[in-house]
Every structure is written in C-alpha cells, then in structure tokens.
Amino acid sequence: MLGLLWLIPVLPFAGFLVLALIGPRLSRTGVASIGVGSIALSTLVALLVSSSFIASPPAGHAYAQTLWTWLQVGGFTPGISLYLDGLALVMMLVVTFVSLLIHLYSTEFMRDDEGYSRFFAYMNLFVGSMLTLVLADNLLLLYLGWEGVGLCSYLLIGFWYTDPANGRAARKAFVVTRVGDTAMAVGLFLLFNHLGTLQIQDLMQRASQAWPVGSALAVAASALLLGGALGKSAQLPLHTWLPDAMAGPTPVSALIHAATMVTAGVYLIARTHELFALAPVVQSAVAVIGAATLLLAGCSALTQWDIKRVLAYSTISQIGYMFLALGVGAWSAAIFHLMTHAFFKALLFLGAGVVIQALHEEHNMFAMGGLRKQLPVTFWTFLIASASLAALPLVTAGFYSKDMILWEAWSSQAGSPWLWAAGMAGALLTSIYAFRVVFLTFYGPSKTQVRRKPGLRMQLPLVILAVLSVVGGFVELPSSLGDLPLFSDFLHTALPAAPSMRGGVSTEIVLQCSAAAVSLIGIYLAYLLCLRMPQYAESLLRTPWGTALHRFWFAGWGFDWLYDTFVVGPYVWFAHAAKDEVVDFIYGGIAGLTQRLNRLLSGTETGKVRWYATGIALGAVIIIAIAVIL
C-alpha cells in the first residue's frame, strides 16, 4: 500500500485540472462530485497507506518514494520525491480528513454562488499544495507546496473579488506572507551553498556533522526559516494578514485556519528540528514569539464584534501555543495541539458559517442571540468546540493538548516558569473570549430572525468534528491521568522527546489543577460579563482607560498603523519621488524620439499612388548614382 503514496497529492491536483478545464460546463452536482470526490479518494488512500505504515512499519520508520528527477544542474538534483514518517503521516491524515469535511460542507454552503466550480477548483488546488508541502522529501519541493498554498490563499481570500475590500485583503495576505517567504528562500540558498543538498534528511545529518551548537551559520539558516514560518503561521510580527483573511467564504477560513496554511510554519520548524537544535538562541526566540503572540492575539479576540474575526485572532493565539511548544523542544506536544486545534477550530468556523448564513450574512455577535433553540445542532457542536478551545478539563481534546504544552513549558530543559505563566494567562483569555462568543451568539434574547437552516451536508461535518473535538485528546493521556502516551510514542519515531528537568508527578498534578481552574474561571467570567451582569463590562468600557485599551486591542495593538506609517507610507512616497529620476529621463527620451519618428514616417503614407511612384523612381536614381560613383 505504501506505493500508493503518490496518489494522495495527485488526486486533488487532478480534481483541480478537471474543474479548471471543464468546470463551468458541468452541473453543480458534477462539480461537487469531482471537488469532493477527489478529496474523498485522497483521504481513502491516505487511510490505507497509514494503516499499512502502522501495521508494518518500514525500516527506520520512514518510507521514501522518488517519482522522477525534477532538476539536474551540476550537483543539484532535487527530485519529485515523497517522504512518509510519523510526523508526515499525522499531518497527511489531518489535512485530508478535515479538508474532506470542509469540502462536503461547502457543497451546500456555496450552492447559490455563481463561482461554484471556480471555488472547488481553488480548494482542490489548495489541498494538493498542502499535501505536497507535508510529504515533500526535499526543501525545494516543500517550497513549491509552500508557495502553492500562498497562491491559493490569495485566490480564495479574494474569491468575491468584485468587492474592493476583498481584493485588498487578498493582496495584504499575499504581500505580508511574501516577506517571510523571501527570508525562507534566502535560507534555502544558504543551506544548499554550505551543505550541498536540500534533501531534508541528508541536510539535517550534514548540518549536525558540520555545524557545532551555536554556529553562526546554523543561527542564520534557522532564523531565515523561522521568518518563513512566522509569515505562513501568522505570528508576530507577520500576523496582520490573518484577521483580514476573513473576507473569503467561511469554508475558506476553516481550511486556512484548521488544516492548511497556518499550520505550515509549525510543520516546517518541526520537520527541521535538528537545525533549530543547533541554534538555541533561535529556538528560544520561537518560544518567546509564541508566548507573546498568544497573549496579544488573545487580548484582541476579547474586543472583536465580528464572530469570524474573534476566531481569526483565536487561531493566531493557538498557533502561538504551538510555537511555544516548539521553542521549548516539546515537538510532539506542538503537533498534538495542531491536530486537536484542527478539529475544534474547523468546527468553530463551520458553525459560525451556519450562523452567518442563517441570519442573512450577519457577522455582528451583538445582533445575534437566542439561537440555541433555533439551531440546536449548531449550538451543541459549537459549544463542544468552544469547550475544547477553552480546554475544559478532562472531557475535551483541547485540555489534553494544551495541558501537555503547559507541562513541557514548565518542566523541559528549555522551559521556564515565565513561559508557563504566559501560557496560563493565555488560557484564561482563551476561556473568556471562547465563551463570550457562545453566550452572545446563542443565549439571551433573539435579535435577528433565522432565515435559513442548515441541511444534512452542513450538519454532518459539524457532528463528526464535535466527536473528534472530544475523543481526539484521549490518544495522549498524561502520567497523572492514566499514562497513555500513544500519540507521542508514535511521533518519537520522527521527533525527539523533550528532556524533563524539573517537577515530578505531584508537580504535574498541581499544574493540571491550576490549568483546569483557570479554564473554569475564564468561563465563569464570560458568563458574568456577558449574561449575568453585562452592565459591569459596559461601565468598564465607558471609563477613559477602558475605552482606550479596547480601541488599542480592537485595532490589533496598532500593528497595521505602524506598518502603514513606517513601511507602506515611506515606500509609496519614495516610489512617487523616484518616478522622475535620471534613468527614467533616458528611457523616456528614447520612447519620445521613437514616437516622433513614427509620426514623421506615418506622414509619408498619404494614399496617393503618384507620390509613391515618384518616391520609388527617386530612390532608384539615387541608388544607381551611388553604384556608378562608387
């Protein structure tokens, strides 16, 4: 079965090609069959390959498949090659299965859209690019998939391109992520120049042999790769594109935030963990950036009124947790939270899509309310996802994955009490904003009439994701709650374990109880401020400092203003100032001379045959005279 690995990315690409070529001529049923069917087949093959891999692990717990040589320039011969190990297998299953549910949901959500076939073509291309990224055997092929998801994000965020605001959001995402992509490309040049390969396994081995810990080259290479990861995963300071990415259709938001794109940076760092281990200062920076991002984004999520923008800032914050885990060497914890986050965040976005569509494109949570009785399936599944996001203790997947990160942030060699404290503060913020959405949307008096209820194709993915948002955490139980490390044991064939330096089982229990208490306190605070005593929140906002802080957090801590003022503005000014530089005068002069000569010669085209004959005769006389004289 392992030989079928190549089919997993190829099937979505095939679906894209069919839809791109003949999609507009197909019925909506035909488009949906190809769009969803290609992802369903890819998911089926992924399950078969995974079953074979787990039942009969290949030598070294890794399987490589080379399809053909891509380039052959000197000693540089990257191939179209795929690599499957524990890390790639988890990512492959998450991407295919969650994408399948989102595609199924989209067949009903987008049924009235005139760009139906174009939508599914882009979505298939997105999934194919992400699968190429996670299965690539070399960094050049990984970079191809990396740029592919960037292109698709631009196409899908600006899907409704007739609205200029959507076009601006798409361009913003494209430009901001290109900053990180450029850094990553420079990093690839540096790695190949000094190590002579971009094949990931050989590259990591050569780096470990050639560069000592703390080497300037290792620091530079890992810092450049980190730049790419910050852009794709929307971490400080390249996070500003993600809230505006909500301009795209809601299934696009679910796909970008849950299964693709924003998880690419986390995967890149985990895949090249040996390189980051050689640069401790950069790895520490990963942890600090993750901690700062989860706090800043959590504060901004508290102030948003658009339900999708709350979830967008939530994604930035939760990816921050993954970066925190990566920075302290808790590689398995980061991927565990990536998996559980894919389940509950996809569910949150799809549930938000149901609400928005039911209320005739209403995004304002303060115009919602009372929906738990009118949309019962959506309410219960959304509640489960919110509980998982808030890490409700013992019964949700988010509790086990977040608890694992917090424990590693405290106990690992690269961890510290400060990083743990940042994670705990972020957990409190998460509980508050997660249940703020629940209480404002589904409780209280009804403010907008439900006009459209979801059908089976929208409700079935919600139910499946709700189940996964609960049971998905039981594949990794800590030592204090059953000691069943199935997930981390499986990933340790590809990723090293984080060495524990402080604390024992008793300490772990205390920290778990603290995390559980923080989660419950946050939910209770949200209940008080949104339902029981909303006047307290209103009076707080009316104070001068409350108003100022609310505006500051609502504006994303002013990062857009900073970039517009100190980057975009000066660049635009310089572009206008440089449009009349000396070099332009030279080329402008050549263009002007050409235009004048054109007008001079075109004046000879009078349409009078006698003048043409005279010109021919005169020319003949001149040529004969020259020939005779010379």
Side-chain angles (χ1 to χ4, degrees):
M1 286 295 180
L2 294 179
L4 299 177
L5 182 64
W6 63 276
L7 277 174
I8 297 171
V10 164
L11 286 167
F13 283 134
F16 160 73
L17 285 175
V18 172
L19 291 174
L21 293 174
I22 63 171
R25 295 192 291 273
L26 296 174
S27 66
R28 291 183 180 256
T29 302
V31 169
S33 299
I34 295 171
V36 179
S38 60
I39 305 300
L41 289 173
S42 181
T43 304
L44 177 61
V45 175
L47 290 171
L48 293 174
V49 168
S50 300
S51 300
S52 177
F53 185 94
I54 294 171
S56 302
H61 295 278
Y63 172 75
Q65 184 179 58
T66 300
L67 303 178
W68 66 84
T69 300
W70 185 6
L71 301 173
Q72 193 164 4
V73 182
F76 184 49
T77 57
I80 303 296
S81 307
L82 306 179
Y83 184 82
L84 185 68
D85 62 358
L87 173 60
L89 185 145
V90 171
M91 292 294 297
M92 175 184 71
L93 289 177
V94 169
V95 170
T96 53
F97 188 73
V98 175
S99 297
L100 173 61
L101 295 178
I102 295 171
H103 274 68
L104 177 61
Y105 174 99
S106 301
T107 59
E108 182 178 337
F109 185 89
M110 298 293 292
R111 64 187 178 189
D112 297 327
D113 197 284
E114 61 182 12
Y116 197 72
S117 65
R118 178 167 58 92
F119 175 82
F120 280 101
Y122 292 166
M123 293 281 277
N124 279 24
L125 181 61
F126 207 156
V127 176
S129 298
M130 189 65 190
L131 289 170
T132 301
L133 190 159
V134 301
L135 292 174
D137 189 32
N138 61 81
L139 287 177
L140 187 63
L141 185 59
L142 184 151
Y143 192 70
L144 178 66
W146 187 275
E147 290 301 314
V149 296
L151 169 65
C152 293
S153 70
Y154 168 78
L155 295 172
L156 286 166
I157 292 170
F159 181 77
W160 290 317
Y161 56 85
T162 53
D163 186 345
N166 296 342
R168 285 193 297 271
R171 290 194 298 273
K172 182 178 181 180
F174 195 78
V175 171
V176 173
T177 55
R178 289 294 77 72
V179 175
D181 295 354
T182 302
M184 181 178 172
V186 175
L188 299 189
F189 284 121
L190 187 152
L191 288 169
F192 180 75
N193 186 53
H194 288 276
L195 299 176
T197 184
L198 288 180
Q199 203 279 337
I200 296 174
Q201 306 311 312
D202 291 345
L203 187 69
M204 296 302 105
Q205 184 178 8
R206 294 184 190 184
S208 300
Q209 294 172 350
W211 294 339
V213 175
S215 164
L217 288 172
V219 169
S222 55
L224 289 167
L225 293 184
L226 174 59
L230 295 179
K232 275 291 186 290
S233 291
Q235 298 293 284
L236 287 171
L238 301 178
H239 65 291
T240 57
W241 66 270
L242 195 57
D244 291 342
M246 299 303 95
T250 300
V252 172
S253 303
L255 193 62
I256 290 176
H257 290 248
T260 62
M261 190 139 173
V262 295
T263 61
V266 178
Y267 173 76
L268 175 67
I269 296 176
R271 175 54 73 198
T272 57
H273 64 273
E274 293 100 329
L275 185 61
F276 282 84
L278 296 175
V281 64
V282 178
Q283 189 171 345
S284 297
V286 173
V288 172
I289 290 171
T293 302
L294 71 90
L295 290 174
L296 267 65
C299 291
S300 290
L302 284 174
T303 63
Q304 305 299 312
W305 54 262
D306 185 323
I307 186 171
K308 286 179 66 176
R309 286 183 73 89
V310 176
L311 299 180
Y313 278 110
S314 169
T315 297
I316 298 172
S317 182
Q318 297 306 303
I319 299 293
Y321 272 105
M322 299 173 207
F323 269 65
L324 171 60
L326 295 170
V328 299
W331 313 105
S332 297
I335 303 303
F336 184 32
H337 195 56
L338 184 153
M339 180 186 74
T340 61
H341 176 262
F343 300 148
F344 63 71
K345 187 52 62 67
L347 176 53
L348 286 168
F349 270 108
L350 297 185
V354 172
V355 171
I356 291 168
Q357 201 170 70
L359 302 183
H360 196 60
E361 302 305 314
E362 179 61 71
H363 286 238
N364 188 348
M365 293 184 294
F366 293 97
M368 298 177 183
L371 295 176
R372 67 185 188 279
K373 295 180 180 178
Q374 300 178 68
L375 300 171
V377 174
T378 305
F379 164 67
W380 286 108
T381 55
F382 197 95
L383 180 64
I384 290 170
S386 299
S388 192
L389 171 61
L392 190 69
L394 302 180
V395 295
T396 61
F399 168 75
Y400 292 100
S401 60
K402 192 174 292 184
D403 175 72
M404 189 176 180
I405 292 175
L406 292 172
W407 169 242
E408 298 282 8
W410 174 275
S411 65
S412 71
Q413 183 176 355
S416 76
W418 290 106
L419 294 173
W420 173 83
M424 290 290 285
L428 178 63
L429 293 171
T430 302
S431 295
I432 296 173
Y433 71 66
F435 275 83
R436 173 176 175 263
V437 175
V438 173
F439 294 139
L440 291 177
T441 304
F442 294 99
Y443 287 83
S446 179
K447 300 169 186 174
T448 306
Q449 184 64 35
V450 171
R451 301 186 182 183
R452 176 175 172 178
K453 293 189 176 182
L456 180 62
R457 287 176 293 169
M458 291 177 69
Q459 291 184 350
L460 182 60
L462 301 184
V463 174
I464 294 173
L465 288 169
V467 173
L468 292 173
S469 295
V470 174
V471 304
F474 294 105
V475 297
E476 181 72 25
L477 299 180
S479 56
S480 58
L481 294 172
D483 194 18
L484 188 67
L486 297 177
F487 188 84
S488 56
D489 284 349
F490 177 71
L491 276 187
H492 286 165
T493 60
L495 298 170
S500 181
M501 298 296 293
R502 60 177 73 86
V505 175
S506 59
T507 304
E508 186 176 6
I509 293 174
V510 171
L511 295 182
Q512 284 171 350
C513 292
S514 301
V518 163
S519 173
L520 296 174
I521 290 170
I523 295 171
Y524 183 66
L525 287 175
Y527 167 72
L528 287 179
L529 296 174
C530 296
L531 288 183
R532 188 69 179 271
M533 293 178 287
Q535 64 272 16
Y536 285 174
E538 294 170 3
S539 61
L540 186 65
L541 287 177
R542 282 195 293 266
T543 62
W545 64 270
T547 300
L549 192 61
H550 183 276
R551 288 178 178 174
F552 186 54
W553 287 355
F554 183 81
W557 296 69
F559 276 92
D560 281 322
W561 177 85
L562 284 173
Y563 293 153
D564 288 341
T565 303
F566 296 105
V567 179
V568 178
Y571 181 85
V572 172
W573 177 88
F574 180 78
H576 282 291
K579 67 180 180 180
D580 295 325
E581 62 183 3
V582 175
V583 174
D584 287 337
F585 282 121
I586 297 173
Y587 293 107
I590 295 173
L593 178 61
T594 303
Q595 288 178 338
R596 289 183 178 86
L597 290 174
N598 175 264
R599 285 195 293 269
L600 180 63
L601 291 174
S602 63
T604 64
E605 300 298 322
T606 63
K608 298 178 180 179
V609 179
R610 289 176 296 174
W611 285 104
Y612 295 164
T614 302
I616 293 171
L618 182 60
V621 169
I622 292 172
I623 292 173
I624 292 171
I626 291 172
V628 170
I629 294 171
L630 298 179

